[in-house]
Amino acid sequence: MQKFEEVEEAIDVDVPVRTAYNQWTQFESFPRFMSGVESVTQLSETTNHWVTKVGGVERAFDTEIVDQVPDDRIAWRSIDGKSHAGIVRFSPLDANHTHVKVHFEWAPETAVEKAGAALQVDEMQVKADLKKFKEFIESRGSETGGWRGEVE
């Protein structure tokens, strides 16, 4: 039986909820603020192809969005045998500030991934990536685009 690891991190960003949410829907921009993400190619409104490189190990996998409500949440899961799923939630703090909370889980496969999970490297990486997202969106002041569709 696979052992699942979980990470949950959050950050407050100094932009309206619509701006933070819209930016997060621009998956192809993720390499600009997510370490280890080499590329994300949007295949359809609900599917993405990811290429990651972490600890020298390159992986490619596909995800599908399974639940999406504008300005509230985006939930995804892998669709190609990799055990990976998560959700990001957006909560307005006021008209110009948003709380962004990421939760995901996965099953580490290699010894390096298992060691990284044991040392909480993943939590530190997600926290660092959220800080980069904050810097990215706050320095721009606006999103690079947005998709306002819903998925149920």
Side-chain angles (χ1 to χ4, degrees), residues 21 24 27 45-46 48 63-69 72-78 84-90 103 151-152:
Y21 172 86
W24 205 278
F27 304 107
E45 288 181 341
T46 58
N48 294 293
T63 60
E64 75 173 336
I65 295 172
V66 294
D67 183 23
Q68 184 166 351
V69 176
D72 183 56
R73 68 185 176 271
I74 303 169
W76 71 91
R77 69 175 176 215
S78 58
H84 180 18
I87 187 166
V88 59
R89 293 188 174 274
F90 305 86
H103 175 94
V151 176
E152 293 183 19

Side-chain angles (χ1 to χ4, degrees), residues 35-38 51-60 110-113 116 121-122 125:
S35 300
V37 176
E38 298 286 309
V51 177
T52 62
K53 191 172 187 179
V54 179
V57 178
E58 187 169 298
R59 289 243 158 76
T110 67
V112 170
E113 290 173 338
V121 171
D122 305 301
Q125 190 59 62

Side-chain angles (χ1 to χ4, degrees), residues 23-134:
Q23 184 60 56
W24 205 278
T25 67
Q26 300 306 291
F27 304 107
E28 293 184 353
S29 73
F30 280 13
R32 294 172 76 177
F33 55 83
M34 286 188 180
S35 300
V37 176
E38 298 286 309
S39 67
V40 180
T41 305
Q42 196 152 357
L43 304 174
S44 74
E45 288 181 341
T46 58
T47 57
N48 294 293
H49 179 74
W50 294 67
V51 177
T52 62
K53 191 172 187 179
V54 179
V57 178
E58 187 169 298
R59 289 243 158 76
F61 57 93
D62 295 333
T63 60
E64 75 173 336
I65 295 172
V66 294
D67 183 23
Q68 184 166 351
V69 176
D71 302 336
D72 183 56
R73 68 185 176 271
I74 303 169
W76 71 91
R77 69 175 176 215
S78 58
I79 55 175
D80 57 1
K82 301 290 180 204
S83 297
H84 180 18
I87 187 166
V88 59
R89 293 188 174 274
F90 305 86
S91 304
L93 298 171
D94 61 33
N96 294 306
H97 300 89
T98 304
H99 184 72
V100 180
K101 183 177 179 181
V102 175
H103 175 94
F104 73 92
E105 55 189 48
W106 78 104
E109 296 175 12
T110 67
V112 170
E113 290 173 338
K114 290 174 184 173
L119 295 171
Q120 297 185 320
V121 171
D122 305 301
E123 286 90 343
M124 291 184 286
Q125 190 59 62
V126 173
K127 187 176 281 199
D129 288 348
L130 281 175
K131 284 182 185 173
K132 286 189 235 169
F133 174 74
K134 176 182 175 69

